[in-house]
Amino acid sequence: MILSEITSYLNSQFPLSLQESYDNCGLLIGEKNTEITGALICLDITEHVLNEAVKNNCNLIVSHHPLIFSGIKSLTGNTDTERLVIRAIRDNIAVYALHTNLDNHYEGVNSFLCSKLGIINTEILKPLPDTLRKIVTFCPVSHADQVRDAILDAGAGQIGNYDSCSFSSAGEGSFRALSGANPFVGEPGKIHTEHELRIETIFPSFLENEIVAALKQAHPYEEVAYDIYPLLNKNQHTGAGMIGTLPQAIDSEEFLNHVKEILQIGCIRHTNLKNKKIQKIAVCGGSGSFLIKDAINCGADIYMTGDIKYHDFFIPENKMILADIGHYESEQFTKELIYTFLKKKFTTFALFISGTNTNPVNYL
Ligand SMILES: [Zn+2]
């Protein structure tokens, strides 16, 4: 298996354009043509994880947290990161990170966490803005099905639980082919009018190149007329955190004990439980304080995330329970999630889930 086959697949499933501006996802170490003998999946890269990779004959590590997060100006081994980078290069181990592009994916970290905790009817808590576009094209009636199918096959037309969504309306297109043109219909130098369909549909912005390429491939005209519009619609397939419901309302303390057991958390810090039943649950794996107000606005009974600071606990003002379930603990299933995605595509490839607990936090 060549490294670029794996990275291309991961980039197509979890586009780098979905990562947050501060992040550093994608291939961090390695040459694209390298033959990969096996891949180890982990949350964080440590010395122990590198040993594990060598032991399992893996020359690729796919991690959730990027090993290189900010710019490195020298590699002298002065910091842990520098030592790990030097060691990875020395041992010919490629390194790839799937971080906030996985967090922001509808089937990513939070969806997986919800399924582990029995939360259903899930939706993105804070959809990413400016991630949807509309494409409109004009096509002779005879080729409308072919063009529509090509655009939809390239990934356009998804709305909620529906795919293949599009709208077509009839009209007349007119044009004059100039010298040098080779028109599909009409004659050079004469205005031509053609019965055409206006076909329009929605698509996620990261698929723009693929969809335009598919359109041009399927459209019979030499010059394809198409428009792309930015949309203000919320993208329910992309964004931070997740909100859903439990099948039935449950006592808040009982629910948190359930979470503690499933995630094996040493301690949960939380606001007043108010002896109240809860059903609407918001989560964000990792560090999710930035979503506290969104969870309140969405009517969550409880919001669970990691890295909550003292003053953050005042924000809900008893409108909602806020619980710190640990950064590591809330992301621990991410290894299994990445494994599942890779195994689905590369069924016989040697994939390993790291057994190293890289949580730097201990509980007394
Ligand atoms: Zn994290």
Side-chain angles (χ1 to χ4, degrees), residues 12-289:
S12 69
Q13 295 296 302
F14 305 101
L16 297 177
S17 60
L18 295 188
Q19 69 179 314
E20 298 294 338
S21 56
Y22 57 80
D23 209 353
N24 193 33
C25 302
L27 185 62
L28 305 183
I29 299 174
E31 290 168 307
K32 290 185 174 178
N33 295 327
T34 308
E35 179 75 32
I36 298 298
T37 51
L40 181 72
I41 298 156
C42 65
L43 271 187
D44 306 280
I45 298 179
T46 62
E47 195 70 31
H48 199 272
V49 170
L50 282 166
N51 292 340
E52 227 181 325
V54 171
K55 195 175 130 213
N56 288 299
N57 194 30
C58 293
N59 59 349
L60 169 64
I61 294 178
V62 179
S63 69
H64 181 47
H65 295 132
L67 174 59
I68 303 168
F69 209 62
S70 49
I72 295 179
K73 291 194 172 178
S74 60
L75 274 176
T76 55
N78 274 339
T79 64
D80 257 358
T81 301
E82 288 179 29
R83 284 189 286 278
L84 293 167
V85 169
I86 291 169
R87 163 99 195 266
I89 294 171
R90 209 177 260 157
D91 287 352
N92 288 318
I93 295 175
V95 170
Y96 186 96
L98 268 173
H99 191 213
T100 49
N101 52 341
L102 185 59
D103 292 334
N104 284 330
H105 194 281
Y106 182 70
E107 293 177 46
V109 173
N110 296 309
S111 165
F112 211 56
L113 178 60
C114 284
S115 69
K116 293 283 183 186
L117 297 176
I119 301 166
I120 55 175
N121 304 321
T122 50
E123 287 181 0
I124 297 278
L125 180 57
K126 186 178 188 184
L128 276 187
D130 192 31
T131 56
L132 288 173
R133 302 272 187 278
K134 170 166 276 201
I135 187 165
V136 178
T137 189
F138 310 88
C139 176
V141 176
S142 58
H143 287 69
D145 288 346
Q146 174 181 318
V147 166
R148 191 185 303 103
D149 288 350
I151 302 171
L152 298 177
D153 286 349
Q158 287 252 352
I159 302 176
N161 289 329
Y162 293 79
D163 69 4
S164 306
C165 304
S166 73
F167 185 82
S168 303
S169 47
E172 284 187 343
S174 63
F175 44 82
R176 175 164 57 198
L178 302 177
S179 67
N182 180 23
F184 177 71
V185 283
E187 288 175 45
K190 290 186 179 171
I191 298 277
H192 176 81
T193 303
E194 180 75 16
H195 289 297
E196 293 180 346
L197 285 188
R198 172 191 164 107
I199 302 170
E200 52 195 288
T201 184
I202 198 168
F203 68 92
S205 52
F206 68 83
L207 286 178
E208 183 169 326
N209 290 342
E210 288 85 346
I211 286 168
V212 170
L215 164 65
K216 288 184 173 177
Q217 177 79 28
H219 201 291
Y221 286 0
E222 191 175 27
E223 291 294 340
V224 179
Y226 67 93
D227 306 319
I228 289 177
Y229 301 95
L231 294 179
L232 297 176
N233 305 41
K234 287 183 178 174
N235 184 354
Q236 266 309 329
H237 286 270
T238 308
M242 198 148 256
I243 187 161
T245 55
L246 297 172
Q248 58 212 23
I250 177 174
D251 175 73
S252 50
E253 190 171 338
E254 189 184 336
F255 178 68
L256 282 179
N257 275 322
H258 164 72
V259 173
K260 194 173 173 185
E261 194 182 314
I262 300 280
L263 302 187
Q264 296 286 297
I265 309 170
C267 153
I268 294 181
R269 298 185 303 138
H270 58 83
T271 55
N272 189 348
L273 296 184
K274 303 185 284 183
N275 291 324
K276 145 179 191 209
K277 288 204 180 260
I278 55 171
Q279 186 161 24
K280 201 164 186 183
I281 318 288
V283 298
C284 180
S287 193
S289 293

